[in-house]
Amino acid sequence: MGSLRNPIGPLPSSIYWRRRVVLLSVVAVLALLVTWLVVSVGGGGKRDGASGSGGHSPAPSITPGDSPSGPAISEHPGGRDESGDDDESGAGGSGGAGGEGEGAEGDASGDGDSGSGSGTGGGGAGGGETTGEQLPAGSTLANCPADAVEMSLRPTKNTYEPGQKPKLVLKAENTSKADCKVDLGPKTAVLTITETGEDKPLWSSAHCPATGSLLLKLPAQGSVTHTVTWDRRASADKCATPPAGAAGPGTYLAEVKAPGATDKISFVLAKD
């Protein structure tokens, strides 16, 4: 213990005390370094454990809200488009007892009008716009007397360019002073299309109709209309297979025959 207090050696004691102070300082510094390293490594491990792999916290889960209770919209506005030179478009639909599709006719001139309907079987025609109140088959409204109904027919255009489908407007007028019902169905108001110079119709609404009747309320001193669109194809009796191909350019006669009434008009299919 005496040697610790009084250093023994050839050098002065002050030198030995300096050496001891330096050695203790180095030991103290090393102890501090070791302690700092231990603390740093331990703290980093805790942080890694808390944050998980990569040091990122897991993303919070998103709980979806309640589903809407209203009905989903499954249709696009505008209906179904069809290509054609006359910009025809429309949506097929059921016409009630008549069973023919209804469309909207935008212009009597035929340009930009729209309309479509179900085909009438082996022939190539569909129903278009129908004005007036459509009645069920069991309607108790009295039938219109044959002599009280005037029937007329007109095309929406005098000449149809290639690719355009002729539209024929059938109109029934009531000359009496009482409401009644009229049948403009394909079997009662028979519409035929014949090429000029031919005896046999190229197309007839009675050949293969999709429905038998189209009952409409005909107001007193009023009128109703029904538009038929022809896609230029031929038809065959009793739903037989018609000749293939479309009608060529030329002049065609359209005629409607109903009980006590008839009318005939012509239109042209232009060349390419």
Side-chain angles (χ1 to χ4, degrees):
M1 294 297 293
S3 62
L4 293 176
R5 296 178 181 175
N6 299 309
I8 300 173
L11 299 175
S13 62
S14 62
I15 294 177
Y16 292 106
W17 279 112
R18 292 193 188 98
R19 290 179 178 177
R20 290 179 181 178
V21 170
V22 170
L23 180 61
L24 289 175
S25 299
V26 171
V27 172
V29 169
L30 290 176
L32 290 174
L33 288 174
V34 172
T35 303
W36 177 80
L37 290 174
V38 171
V39 172
S40 298
V41 173
K46 290 181 180 180
R47 288 194 297 271
D48 292 342
S51 61
S53 177
H56 297 288
S57 300
S61 60
I62 300 176
T63 303
D66 296 335
S67 300
S69 59
I73 299 176
S74 59
E75 297 182 357
H76 297 287
R80 177 172 56 91
D81 292 337
E82 294 179 356
S83 61
D85 291 342
D86 57 351
D87 297 331
E88 293 180 353
S89 66
S94 172
E100 299 201 8
E102 296 183 4
E105 185 178 5
D107 193 322
S109 65
D111 290 330
D113 54 8
S114 63
S116 68
S118 59
T120 57
E129 182 182 70
T130 300
T131 64
E133 179 184 351
Q134 190 165 337
L135 302 174
S139 173
T140 57
L141 184 64
N143 293 324
C144 293
D147 59 357
V149 178
E150 293 182 356
M151 201 78 66
S152 62
L153 186 65
R154 66 174 178 85
T156 57
K157 299 175 66 176
N158 292 326
T159 301
Y160 294 93
E161 299 299 326
Q164 291 182 335
K165 299 177 182 179
K167 294 178 182 290
L168 305 174
V169 181
L170 177 61
K171 181 179 181 180
E173 294 185 77
N174 184 0
T175 60
S176 71
K177 297 181 179 181
D179 295 348
C180 56
K181 67 174 180 284
V182 64
D183 188 357
L184 298 185
K187 290 183 177 180
T188 304
V190 179
L191 179 63
T192 59
I193 298 175
T194 307
E195 187 174 5
T196 300
E198 299 291 335
D199 296 330
K200 185 179 180 181
L202 179 63
W203 178 86
S204 173
S205 65
H207 277 171
C208 190
T211 183
S213 63
L214 177 60
L215 298 178
L216 298 174
K217 180 180 179 180
L218 191 53
Q221 304 293 318
S223 64
V224 293
T225 62
H226 175 61
T227 303
V228 175
T229 303
W230 180 47
D231 66 1
R232 302 185 177 219
R233 292 189 300 165
S235 65
D237 193 18
K238 298 180 180 179
C239 297
T241 302
T251 302
Y252 290 80
L253 300 177
E255 183 178 15
V256 59
K257 290 184 178 180
T262 183
D263 194 20
K264 181 184 294 186
I265 53 94
S266 65
F267 61 89
V268 176
L269 298 184
K271 295 181 180 180
D272 294 336

